[in-house]
Amino acid sequence: EAAEVLEALKMKATLEEETKVVNLLTEAMEAMDLDKLERAICEAHSAGLTKDKNPELGDAVSTREAIKRKMETNDEKLLNDLKSAAEGNDSEVIAAAITKCIGAGMADKFSSEISAAKDKQKFIANKSKAKRSLEMAVRTKSLDRIEDALNKADACGLSGEEVND
């Protein structure tokens, strides 16, 4: 009789634990929260739940994979947008793409691409500054000022063609 009571108490504890874990899985799926899903799935495995016995575990794993795929797709889009912006010559578009990447928490993941985009921004700013400087120098019709402006443009790594663009 004592063994039966002990067995019943064990069964009750197991069922309570399973119910708690299933509730965690359900809450995590409803929240579409990857971290909560990871923790709940880990707890489910620790509690001995299986996909066969507990379909919620299978649903949670599927939901986790779907969230990861969506995140990867979003990451790829952010990266493609950043690369496209950096290929262009619009500093504001580049700044917006950089801001989106950083805002999405991708500063570390895309650090080299962000750095390259920032370099392109600097290049565009230097090009614009060199063009203005040259325009002003040409207006003054001073050979010294024109040469100085050309030297500054050259020092910024700008060729005559790039300044004229």
Side-chain angles (χ1 to χ4, degrees), residues 95-109:
I98 290 170
T99 301
K100 278 185 181 177
C101 286
I102 292 171
M106 298 294 137
D108 290 336
K109 187 173 182 180

Side-chain angles (χ1 to χ4, degrees), residues 19-164:
T19 301
K20 178 186 142 211
V21 172
V22 166
N23 287 338
L24 286 172
L25 289 167
T26 303
E27 288 172 19
M29 283 187 290
E30 288 172 357
M32 296 296 284
D33 184 317
L34 185 59
D35 291 334
K36 280 185 181 179
L37 274 166
E38 295 283 359
R39 285 191 301 272
I41 290 168
C42 189
E43 281 195 44
H45 288 299
S46 295
L49 271 67
T50 63
K51 292 178 189 179
D52 295 337
K53 189 175 161 190
N54 305 90
E56 297 86 357
L57 177 57
D59 294 345
V61 170
S62 296
T63 302
R64 176 186 65 189
E65 297 310 311
I67 290 171
K68 283 183 176 181
R69 279 192 304 277
K70 183 177 181 187
M71 289 173 72
E72 287 171 5
T73 301
N74 288 342
D75 291 358
E76 288 171 15
K77 183 180 179 338
L78 283 171
L79 182 58
N80 288 336
D81 289 351
L82 179 64
K83 286 180 176 180
S84 290
E87 288 172 4
N89 285 315
D90 188 332
S91 190
E92 290 180 22
V93 171
I94 296 171
I98 290 170
T99 301
K100 278 185 181 177
C101 286
I102 292 171
M106 298 294 137
D108 290 336
K109 187 173 182 180
F110 298 155
S111 63
S112 64
E113 291 86 352
I114 289 172
S115 179
K118 286 180 177 180
D119 289 345
K120 179 68 181 263
Q121 268 187 308
K122 288 176 191 169
F123 175 79
I124 292 168
N126 288 339
K127 179 178 167 181
S128 178
K129 195 174 180 182
K131 277 180 90 168
R132 281 193 307 274
S133 181
L134 281 167
E135 288 168 0
M136 297 283 280
V138 168
R139 281 192 205 123
T140 64
K141 297 184 181 181
S142 164
L143 186 57
D144 289 341
R145 283 184 131 177
I146 293 171
E147 284 180 2
D148 185 48
L150 285 170
N151 287 335
K152 285 181 181 174
D154 189 47
C156 291
L158 299 170
S159 68
E161 286 177 14
E162 291 167 328
V163 174
N164 290 328

